[in-house]
């Protein structure tokens, strides 16, 4: 590991799918996406990865040019009793994490202060959708970070595209290891999906990746 500083990046959206996430590391156009990612300055693969549950509620909002101008995943800023969001976390360098966040925010550069973030719990580092970094605890001596929006769910919810949702379903099935029925149960009542995407459509997505 040398002298590098490592952090866990916990992804709860399409980056749960390992091949999609590696486009952020090495560059390339993810399956189903409409934008090619530039990759990190350090293209080394994560040194460890595992499934993880975040204590924040999941919802879908906005209209992303990356994903057919439809809604994308966000999590709330504070833990909510009984709420959780499945994720896949990757042990990468601090610089790689900053490069990933940069790519998620249209190339806006920034730098994080790990100790300050751990003290604050969260910090808006960029004025954009995924510009707020959350601290979600420690594991194996490394801090767990993720990112979301600075708003407190007052934005209108929007349904995700089937292409985007399929990436999330694949991540949940292949890389988190959820059974098919649990995936459907987990997603069907999430804001943005509820009332917009039927349970039958969710089952079709699950069956398409299994």
């Amino acid at each position: 590991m040398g002298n590098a500083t490592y952090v866990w990046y916990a992804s709860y959206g399409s980056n749960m799918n390992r091949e999609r996430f590696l486009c952020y590391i090495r560059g390339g156009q993810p399956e189903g996406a409409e934008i090619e990612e530039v990759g990190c300055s350090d293209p080394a693969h994560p040194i460890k990865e595992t499934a993880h549950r975040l204590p924040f509620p999941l919802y879908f909002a906005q209209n992303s040019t990356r994903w057919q101008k439809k809604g994308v995943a966000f999590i709330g800023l504070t833990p909510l009793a009984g709420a959780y969001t499945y994720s896949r976390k990757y042990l990468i360098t601090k610089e790689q994490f900053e490069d990933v966040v940069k790519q998620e925010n249209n190339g806006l550069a920034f730098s994080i202060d790990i100790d300050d973030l751990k003290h604050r719990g969260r910090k808006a580092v960029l004025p954009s959708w995924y510009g707020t970094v959350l601290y979600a605890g420690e594991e194996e001596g490394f801090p767990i970070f993720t990112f979301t929006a600075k708003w407190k769910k007052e934005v209108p919810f929007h349904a995700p595209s089937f292409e985007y949702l399929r990436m999330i379903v694949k991540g949940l099935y292949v890389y988190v290891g959820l059974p098919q029925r649990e995936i459907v149960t987990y997603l069907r009542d999430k804001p943005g999906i509820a009332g917009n995407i039927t349970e039958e459509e969710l089952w079709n997505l699950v069956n398409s990746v299994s």
Side-chain angles (χ1 to χ4, degrees), residues 12 59 74-77 128-132 134 146-150:
Y12 53 86
Y59 64 98
F74 298 92
I75 56 173
L77 291 172
S128 44
W129 289 2
Y130 288 113
T132 297
L134 293 177
T146 190
F147 44 84
T148 188
K150 65 180 179 181

Side-chain angles (χ1 to χ4, degrees), residues 25-44:
I25 296 294
R26 66 194 179 203
Q29 185 164 343
E31 174 188 352
E34 297 185 353
I35 293 177
E36 183 172 350
E37 306 300 343
V38 299
C40 295
S41 56
D42 175 3

Side-chain angles (χ1 to χ4, degrees), residues 38-85:
V38 299
C40 295
S41 56
D42 175 3
H45 285 201
I47 63 173
K48 193 170 186 178
E49 55 189 271
T50 185
H52 186 74
R53 287 208 327 185
L54 294 163
F56 306 96
L58 175 69
Y59 64 98
F60 295 83
Q62 296 293 1
N63 296 290
S64 173
T65 55
R66 275 187 170 86
W67 295 103
Q68 296 77 42
K69 296 183 175 62
K70 295 280 191 172
V72 286
F74 298 92
I75 56 173
L77 291 172
T78 55
L80 181 66
Y84 57 87
T85 294

Side-chain angles (χ1 to χ4, degrees), residues 194-207:
N196 294 314
I197 295 175
T198 67
E199 188 166 324
E200 180 181 2
E201 288 170 326
L202 287 174
W203 271 110
N204 287 340
L205 286 170
V206 169
N207 289 329

Side-chain angles (χ1 to χ4, degrees), residues 44-154:
H45 285 201
I47 63 173
K48 193 170 186 178
E49 55 189 271
T50 185
H52 186 74
R53 287 208 327 185
L54 294 163
F56 306 96
L58 175 69
Y59 64 98
F60 295 83
Q62 296 293 1
N63 296 290
S64 173
T65 55
R66 275 187 170 86
W67 295 103
Q68 296 77 42
K69 296 183 175 62
K70 295 280 191 172
V72 286
F74 298 92
I75 56 173
L77 291 172
T78 55
L80 181 66
Y84 57 87
T85 294
Y86 286 109
S87 72
R88 181 81 175 172
K89 70 179 187 298
Y90 305 92
L91 191 58
I92 57 178
T93 68
K94 170 183 176 288
E95 289 75 21
Q96 285 179 310
F97 177 73
E98 291 168 345
D99 280 346
V100 169
V101 178
K102 178 180 176 181
Q103 290 172 83
E104 281 281 15
N105 289 279
N106 300 315
L108 296 175
F110 78 106
S111 178
I112 62 171
D113 181 321
I114 289 178
D115 290 336
D116 181 57
L117 265 172
K118 289 169 65 174
H119 175 72
R120 290 171 178 263
R122 68 174 184 263
K123 185 176 182 180
V125 297
L126 291 170
S128 44
W129 289 2
Y130 288 113
T132 297
V133 178
L134 293 177
Y135 170 59
E138 305 270 326
E139 188 164 309
E140 300 181 15
F142 302 103
I144 303 168
F145 293 122
T146 190
F147 44 84
T148 188
K150 65 180 179 181
W151 55 70
K152 297 181 179 179
K153 291 179 62 175
E154 67 268 16

